[in-house]
Amino acid sequence: MKRDVRILLLGEAQVGKTSLIMSLVGEEFPEEVPPRAEEITIPADVTPEKVPTHIVDSSEAEQTVEELQDEIHKANVVCVVYDVSEEATIEKIRTKWIPLVNGGTEKGPRVPIILVGNKSDLRPGSSMEAVLPIMSQFPEIETCVECSAKNLRNISELFYYAQKAVLHPTAPLYDPETKQLKPECTQALTRIFRLSDQDLDQALSDEELNAFQKSCFGHPLAPQALEDVKMVVRKNVAGGVRDDRLTLDGFLFLNTLFIQRGRHETTWTILRRFGYGDTLELSTDYLFPPLHVPPGCSTELNHFGYQFVQRVFEKHDQDHDGTLSLAELQDLFSVFPAPPWGPQFLQEVRTEAGRLSLHGYLCQWTLVTYLDVRRCLEHLGYLGYPILCKQDSQAHAITGRHLPSQWPGPALPWQALTLICPSHPPTVTREKRLDQEKGQTQRNVLLCKVVGARGVGKSAFLQAFLGRGLGHQETRELHKVPAVYAINTVQVNGQEKYLILCEVDAGSLLSTAFDATCDVACLMFDGTDPQSFALCTSVYKRHYMDGQIPCLFVSSKADLPEGVSLPGLSPAEFCRRHRLPTPTPFSCAGPGEPSTAVFTRLATIATFPYLVHGELHTTSFWLRVTLGAVGAAVAAVLSFSLYRVLVKSR
């Protein structure tokens, strides 16, 4: 919505343009009227729409045509004033003033026009009969107001309608020639209807209607008012009400009726509540609320965000089988202008017989949030997060604190979300430097870059992380267009973590532009090809040896015989010399699901990076922790016993 309104008054000499402005400001008819009034500004707090309003007078005697055209260009709305007692001034509306305002904009947007019939005190009847044909001819005319500067009749109303024509324009919503909503308006209202239809039965129940009404206008409808609305729809639209519920056709009819009766501010209130701007597109401010992510920090959904997207999943899982079919996914995506996830997303998460499970769905949301939080905010905006969760913006769903990926209790209704969603500024994860200093990360989402030469099995490694071995049917199909990312959950000492594997293109490994940043690096080599190990050592020395990112060497194709070693250190000797974990063998050639041990190890190293340079095996590390704790307990008991002996001896 515009931040201010500029109103220009045009018309023949002596029709009362200046008198109208002075009567509005002085609240009395002026005894002396200057040739042209100075521009005045009405403060926001005294206008009905709470928007600053600038009122500009014009005079053909004092202004050139070029100056008038400049004022028209700056105006948001033009009031063409005529004298109701002079028919010649009415005819000039058609022949002179409207062509001057919109003569060169036959195809582009036109400046809205308000017709103002002044001096109604001089004519007993109305001039509307003469004006109606003009209004029918020019669709940019919003309305006509008859008034009297002398009697102060309809003066405030005149400027209110001018404000309204700018802030709640009819032109983007409605085509007066066809008497129908414009396609863009229909599309926007259809999305709003689908978001409000919580049970996906293609109709709004009384409960859903009242939730919608309260969200847009601050209060529910009384039971009788609801019945009256449905009665009007029943009388005018076949199928507008079904089983006592309002259908999409009925919803669209009501908004058409609002506009036809001059209440288009009602439709605009609905559209703006759901994020639409003046062009009937979701506004940038709505889709991309401010969220500052400092360097070294990452972004994750918090449990409010996970709860919301899980509810969206459950809403669209119409057959309650715990997965989304292609048709159910398309229905979920119907509130987006285009599918939000590319065709490769089914390769990035676990699926069940080609269908998207809740686990895979939550993983996909986690991946998008981590890689591109701006896109995540956009997606949450299209799904109506701020409206359905009653929050200022969808940034409320982003946080860096460790929170569960699924709500630990029963599913909650939309309305209950506000009870557990106190307003607080969004945060992101702790800076990675602090994690490294403390030797442990609080992050719930970890990034592992899978580095290695072409052909060592990186793509197969990613698919194995999703439970797809080389013999898996889905793997054979998906390898046709391999994914760069794979995400799944792993358990790290009883705590669930999301692990993202990112396959790095072999051609960029030794480039200075290679971004080595991650939580853990998986340096993969083919056990049958010693040359691939040599590349890994070069990458390690160039990008990781002097840094703090933990690394794990993985020997792929472990089911095949080892190749002939090159002169120099063997993989095991290299890792021992650089105080790295022993290379982990890996194979995904078996008939069953590949082992997940290597993925758990990667996540553990990412969570506790000091294990790499200290105890290389998590078992021995936790054994030492346990023994240390037991030793401390024994020492405490002995100290207390000694203290008691000393007290008694005294």
Side-chain angles (χ1 to χ4, degrees):
M1 192 164 71
K2 293 189 180 295
R3 299 181 185 275
D4 60 0
V5 174
R6 188 174 181 87
I7 302 171
L8 173 65
L9 274 67
L10 291 177
E12 296 294 302
Q14 305 300 317
V15 294
K17 301 184 296 296
T18 307
S19 297
L20 287 170
I21 296 173
M22 297 185 71
S23 294
L24 173 72
V25 175
E27 297 184 347
E28 62 179 3
F29 185 68
E31 294 294 333
E32 295 184 6
V33 180
R36 180 184 172 207
E38 295 291 330
E39 178 181 328
I40 66 167
T41 298
I42 303 174
D45 56 354
V46 298
T47 63
E49 298 291 342
K50 305 302 179 186
V51 174
T53 301
H54 311 280
I55 302 176
V56 182
D57 195 7
S58 66
S59 169
E60 283 189 285
E62 295 196 354
Q63 292 174 285
T64 65
V65 174
E66 289 75 17
E67 289 173 330
L68 284 176
Q69 287 284 12
D70 184 57
E71 287 294 351
I72 292 170
H73 179 73
K74 292 188 290 185
N76 301 123
V77 59
V78 172
C79 293
V80 177
V81 185
Y82 65 93
D83 183 344
V84 297
S85 63
E86 293 287 342
E87 290 189 9
T89 62
I90 298 176
E91 184 58 28
K92 286 292 181 70
I93 298 172
R94 185 201 312 268
T95 60
K96 177 180 178 180
W97 294 112
I98 292 182
L100 180 65
V101 174
N102 285 323
T105 56
E106 287 81 0
K107 295 183 179 180
R110 298 188 173 196
V111 179
I113 293 173
I114 305 292
L115 298 185
V116 180
N118 191 25
K119 304 185 182 182
S120 62
D121 56 290
L122 299 180
R123 177 173 174 168
S126 172
S127 63
M128 292 303 295
E129 186 175 343
V131 169
L132 282 174
I134 301 175
M135 295 180 67
S136 300
Q137 182 180 352
F138 298 98
E140 61 264 43
I141 298 176
E142 293 280 333
T143 190
C144 178
V145 181
E146 291 190 340
C147 59
S148 170
K150 185 174 184 179
N151 294 343
L152 307 183
R153 174 176 173 260
N154 286 344
I155 303 298
S156 297
E157 288 79 359
L158 152 65
F159 292 102
Y160 166 71
Y161 282 118
Q163 258 196 350
K164 184 177 171 181
V166 176
L167 302 177
H168 310 298
T170 306
L173 307 180
Y174 185 74
D175 186 339
E177 294 182 2
T178 63
K179 294 182 171 51
Q180 292 181 345
L181 297 174
K182 289 190 173 179
E184 297 82 2
C185 182
T186 300
Q187 184 178 1
L189 290 172
T190 300
R191 171 182 168 268
I192 292 170
F193 179 89
R194 286 173 176 164
L195 290 177
S196 303
D197 179 16
Q198 289 303 308
D199 55 9
L200 285 185
D201 66 347
Q202 311 301 317
L204 300 183
S205 65
D206 287 358
E207 183 181 358
E208 290 168 336
L209 270 172
N210 265 328
F212 164 81
Q213 170 77 14
K214 192 171 182 180
S215 175
C216 293
F217 304 102
H219 55 81
L221 286 172
Q224 187 56 50
L226 269 176
E227 291 305 315
D228 291 344
V229 166
K230 287 186 282 189
M231 182 62 68
V232 170
V233 175
R234 283 192 189 97
K235 289 181 177 178
N236 291 275
V237 183
V241 177
R242 187 186 69 237
D243 299 329
D244 205 36
R245 295 172 173 233
L246 187 69
T247 65
L248 175 60
D249 287 343
F251 182 73
L252 295 175
F253 165 76
L254 283 176
N255 281 279
T256 305
L257 192 62
F258 292 146
I259 296 167
Q260 289 174 341
R261 293 185 176 180
R263 291 174 51 195
H264 33 284
E265 67 273 14
T266 302
T267 298
W268 273 116
T269 299
I270 294 169
L271 291 165
R272 288 182 174 130
R273 177 68 184 97
F274 280 80
Y276 288 93
D278 292 345
T279 59
L280 291 187
E281 294 180 352
L282 290 177
S283 68
T284 301
D285 290 342
Y286 171 81
L287 289 177
F288 307 108
L291 180 67
H292 177 60
V293 183
C297 299
S298 61
T299 47
E300 304 173 3
L301 282 178
N302 60 29
H303 68 289
F304 303 131
Y306 279 116
Q307 170 69 14
F308 175 78
V309 297
Q310 181 173 339
R311 290 292 300 172
V312 172
F313 179 95
E314 293 168 352
K315 170 182 173 180
H316 290 87
D317 181 17
Q318 290 290 285
D319 54 8
H320 306 292
D321 65 348
T323 65
L324 294 181
S325 65
L326 182 60
E328 289 169 336
L329 267 175
Q330 288 175 340
D331 194 47
L332 189 156
F333 293 160
S334 66
V335 295
F336 292 81
W341 301 334
Q344 81 288 345
F345 86 89
L346 289 175
Q347 308 169 36
E348 299 171 339
V349 299
R350 285 192 76 123
T351 55
E352 296 180 10
R355 296 165 69 95
L356 184 63
S357 66
L358 175 61
H359 175 82
Y361 170 85
L362 294 175
C363 282
Q364 177 64 18
W365 273 103
T366 303
L367 181 65
V368 172
T369 308
Y370 185 93
L371 297 179
D372 189 350
V373 69
R374 182 176 169 86
R375 190 157 62 101
C376 172
L377 292 172
E378 180 185 20
H379 293 174
L380 290 172
Y382 278 112
L383 289 171
Y385 183 95
I387 300 95
L388 297 174
C389 288
K390 302 178 183 176
Q391 296 299 327
D392 292 337
S393 78
Q394 55 272 33
H396 176 266
I398 308 297
T399 187
R401 293 180 292 276
H402 172 67
L403 294 164
S405 62
Q406 297 186 36
W407 187 252
L412 301 175
W414 291 113
Q415 292 79 2
L417 282 174
T418 51
L419 303 178
I420 60 169
C421 295
S423 295
H424 59 78
T427 58
V428 294
T429 61
R430 185 171 68 185
E431 190 177 346
K432 188 169 181 60
R433 174 182 56 82
L434 298 176
D435 286 344
Q436 292 169 339
E437 290 176 0
K438 294 180 180 294
Q440 180 178 350
T441 184
Q442 294 179 333
R443 300 184 181 204
N444 196 39
V445 185
L446 307 169
L447 176 63
C448 171
K449 289 200 171 172
V450 182
V451 178
R454 185 174 286 105
V456 299
K458 299 189 297 295
S459 297
F461 187 70
L462 266 64
Q463 292 305 309
F465 185 38
L466 305 178
R468 302 167 186 149
L470 289 177
H472 199 281
Q473 177 64 29
E474 280 189 75
T475 304
R476 290 195 295 270
E477 294 175 0
L478 295 175
H479 272 333
K480 297 174 183 177
V481 187
V484 177
Y485 294 98
I487 180 171
N488 206 342
T489 54
V490 293
Q491 293 290 324
V492 178
N493 301 319
Q495 186 181 24
E496 187 177 69
K497 298 280 188 181
Y498 285 97
L499 179 64
I500 300 172
L501 301 185
C502 172
E503 180 180 342
V504 179
D505 179 44
S508 66
L509 295 180
L510 298 179
S511 167
T512 54
F514 171 58
D515 182 10
T517 307
C518 56
D519 296 296
V520 60
C522 173
L523 299 165
M524 180 171 286
F525 63 95
D526 182 350
T528 67
D529 179 13
Q531 290 287 354
S532 65
F533 177 72
L535 177 63
C536 283
T537 60
S538 299
V539 172
Y540 173 76
K541 291 175 182 178
R542 186 175 189 125
H543 297 293
Y544 295 107
M545 187 168 68
D546 298 326
Q548 293 183 296
I549 296 174
C551 298
L552 179 67
F553 279 78
V554 173
S555 176
S556 65
K557 306 180 184 179
D559 54 301
L560 300 177
E562 290 189 7
V564 179
S565 300
L566 296 175
L569 297 176
S570 68
E573 291 169 340
F574 179 89
C575 290
R576 187 160 45 250
R577 176 168 294 187
H578 290 276
R579 301 182 63 209
L580 294 170
T582 304
T584 300
F586 177 79
S587 173
C588 55
E593 283 196 11
S595 170
T596 61
V598 64
F599 307 113
T600 302
R601 194 174 192 197
L602 286 166
T604 303
I605 290 174
T607 305
F608 305 103
Y610 56 87
L611 291 178
V612 177
H613 300 295
E615 292 290 344
L616 303 184
H617 301 287
T618 57
T619 304
S620 59
F621 167 75
W622 290 109
L623 180 61
R624 288 184 62 183
V625 171
T626 305
L627 290 175
V630 171
V634 170
V637 171
L638 291 175
S639 299
F640 182 68
S641 301
L642 181 59
Y643 170 75
R644 293 184 62 184
V645 170
L646 289 173
V647 170
K648 287 182 179 180
S649 66
R650 289 181 181 178

